[in-house]
Amino acid sequence: MDWVRKAKKGDIGSFQRLYEAFARRVLNFIFRMVNSAEEAEDLTQETFVTVYQKLGTLKENDRFEPWLFRIARNYIYQRYRARPPNMVSVEELDEDGQPVTQIPDVRKNPDESYQERELEDVVERTINALPEKYREVFVLSAIQRLSYQQIAEIVGRSLPSVKTDIHRARLAVRRQVKDYLKV
Amino acid sequence: MDCRKCAEDMTAFMDGEISPSHTALMQSHIDACPACAEEYASLRKAADLVQNHHRYVDLTPGSWNLLHARIGPESRPSIFDFFLIRRWSPVMAMALAGLALIFGLWSYHRYQESERALRSYMAEYIRVREARTQAYHLTSTREGRARFEYLDLRDEENPFVVVHGTTEDNPFRK
Ligand SMILES: [Zn+2]
């Protein structure tokens, strides 16, 4: 966390290294929570402006990552309060009982296979269908690969409660994708 | 280790979030119990599916430049400001408060002094006036002098006047 130390002293180059290392992850965490790539990009910018301004207040440099994600989370919830999130309600289910969600057009590659796209849609729908409380810990754990301890710090809850919710989210996700699991 | 406990900790086991000794217990149970082995395998597959097929969005090109433009040198306090605001401001505030207190005390002292001077001047003035009036009454009635003569009587010659100061001592004449 040498970059954190240098960025704290105002070294813009080190701050850029931090941005390059973490911005994409922050963007995707926010994206999974707000379900809009454009809004996620906007909130990622806000997050890093705040990080730059408040970096001096971070006491332990090796806690940078959970601190960063907590700032991002604050922005997500601020936006939620200002405007209801792009969430799936019970009414928005298709004939198979699957939630109907807007899938943003953010394809990695135009000629990726139909099967790959279908799997991506399934995963996306499944994550979006998780209640907010489970979704955030699931995304931070299963996608961002943060430790339970870090997640507890980010969401401001106890370690056992975070552990239980991640487990429940995993079970719910498995239920949703069971038809796509190869035997 | 029973199946219920094993199922409960399965996600934490998969995420490497349990102690090494507990991990060893879980592993040996899963190896020996087909039901738990199957449960674990399906959890693992679901986790892999999410890990390998979730859609990742990318930052738009030039996003750093955008951010860099927003965090110009004026957006963050400089080292100088940092020291001034965070570290020195309590000292400066205390110094200013101290100066204000000293100035206040000094002003109050001066005010008290002038109040005292005014009071003693007024007391002196009244005493001189009364002495003159008394002298006038005594001289005019006993010696039949003119009514206004007392005005010519100098304080030094007036036996009823005790001269404590001159008009130059009046602090309000300055
Ligand atoms: Zn078992």
Side-chain angles (χ1 to χ4, degrees):
Chain A
M1 281 291 128
D2 207 34
W3 294 338
V4 177
R5 192 177 54 77
K6 286 183 182 162
K8 262 184 171 176
K9 290 180 182 163
D11 178 21
I12 196 79
S14 295
F15 184 72
Q16 187 177 359
R17 297 286 99 71
L18 287 173
Y19 180 79
E20 283 160 0
F22 290 101
R24 194 164 177 260
R25 296 184 55 204
V26 168
L27 172 75
N28 279 276
F29 166 55
I30 299 174
F31 170 59
R32 288 271 69 99
M33 295 304 291
V34 302
N35 202 25
S36 150
E38 200 184 309
E39 203 165 346
E41 179 107 32
D42 183 33
L43 293 183
T44 303
Q45 283 269 327
E46 297 301 326
T47 299
F48 275 90
V49 169
T50 302
V51 166
Y52 184 75
Q53 288 169 342
K54 306 276 181 193
L55 198 56
T57 67
L58 174 69
K59 288 192 184 79
E60 294 164 64
N61 293 355
D62 54 359
R63 302 272 276 277
F64 174 75
E65 201 174 354
W67 180 75
L68 164 71
F69 275 89
R70 205 163 67 205
I71 293 172
R73 183 180 182 266
N74 283 344
Y75 275 111
I76 293 167
Y77 284 90
Q78 262 177 36
R79 197 57 64 100
Y80 272 7
R81 274 196 292 276
R83 182 188 58 73
N86 201 352
M87 279 179 60
V88 184
S89 70
V90 200
E91 291 79 36
E92 293 170 322
L93 297 173
D94 64 16
E95 59 271 25
D96 303 322
Q98 288 289 339
V100 179
T101 37
Q102 291 288 319
I103 310 284
D105 190 14
V106 283
R107 276 161 233 162
K108 280 191 273 196
N109 183 346
D111 44 81
E112 64 193 347
S113 70
Y114 171 78
Q115 202 202 350
E116 172 61 20
R117 280 219 303 278
E118 193 188 358
L119 285 176
E120 281 189 356
D121 287 354
V122 168
V123 169
E124 182 141 324
R125 274 209 304 266
T126 303
I127 296 171
N128 288 345
L130 284 172
E132 197 183 288
K133 177 190 172 204
Y134 293 100
R135 196 180 348 155
E136 69 175 354
V137 292
F138 179 80
V139 170
L140 291 170
S141 168
I143 294 176
Q144 300 296 339
R145 308 303 299 160
L146 292 167
S147 74
Y148 289 8
Q149 182 57 52
Q150 286 178 315
I151 296 168
E153 271 178 54
I154 295 164
V155 301
R157 288 199 275 132
S158 73
L159 194 58
S161 131
V162 161
K163 184 189 162 194
T164 304
D165 285 352
I166 291 172
H167 183 57
R168 285 178 186 159
R170 286 277 193 193
L171 296 181
V173 166
R174 183 182 60 178
R175 222 164 24 243
Q176 289 286 315
V177 302
K178 65 178 187 303
D179 294 341
Y180 297 87
L181 301 178
K182 293 182 195 79
V183 189
Chain B
M1 165 80 48
D2 60 11
C3 292
R4 195 188 52 80
K5 180 69 185 150
C6 182
E8 217 175 81
D9 289 342
M10 212 164 255
T11 298
F13 170 72
M14 186 171 72
D15 289 334
E17 290 278 350
I18 51 177
S19 69
S21 60
H22 195 54
T23 301
L25 279 174
M26 290 278 299
Q27 190 61 61
S28 59
H29 179 86
I30 288 167
D31 289 345
C33 171
C36 285
E38 198 187 326
E39 172 76 3
Y40 182 65
S42 77
L43 259 185
R44 180 83 266 169
K45 276 181 193 160
D48 290 344
L49 181 80
V50 169
Q51 187 64 46
N52 300 330
H53 300 284
H54 71 87
R55 197 167 273 143
Y56 230 78
V57 286
D58 262 317
L59 294 157
T60 50
S63 72
W64 163 253
N65 294 337
L66 216 71
L67 177 69
H68 193 209
R70 283 190 64 187
I71 53 168
E74 63 285 342
S75 76
R76 188 157 101 168
S78 70
I79 294 293
F80 176 73
D81 291 340
F82 176 81
F83 274 97
L84 199 69
I85 293 161
R86 297 267 163 80
R87 203 152 292 176
W88 293 116
S89 70
V91 179
M92 280 179 52
M94 273 170 67
L96 281 173
L99 280 174
L101 186 72
I102 289 163
F103 180 76
L105 285 172
W106 178 72
S107 302
Y108 181 70
H109 181 71
R110 273 187 54 116
Y111 166 77
Q112 289 281 77
E113 243 183 5
S114 67
E115 271 290 283
R116 249 194 321 274
L118 177 65
R119 252 184 270 117
S120 72
Y121 176 78
M122 288 309 289
E124 187 66 18
Y125 173 78
I126 289 162
R127 202 166 61 234
V128 169
R129 258 191 83 96
E130 281 174 351
R132 280 174 176 172
T133 313
Q134 216 171 349
Y136 163 73
H137 284 305
L138 284 170
T139 51
S140 60
T141 50
R142 224 193 298 148
E143 292 166 32
R145 282 206 197 170
R147 191 179 165 78
F148 301 107
E149 230 176 51
Y150 83 96
L151 289 171
D152 296 329
L153 190 70
R154 289 172 60 213
D155 288 340
E156 287 81 0
E157 295 160 5
N158 186 338
F160 302 98
V161 173
V162 181
V163 179
H164 286 294
T166 63
T167 39
E168 277 65 43
D169 293 332
N170 180 353
F172 302 99
R173 283 178 61 95
K174 286 169 198 163

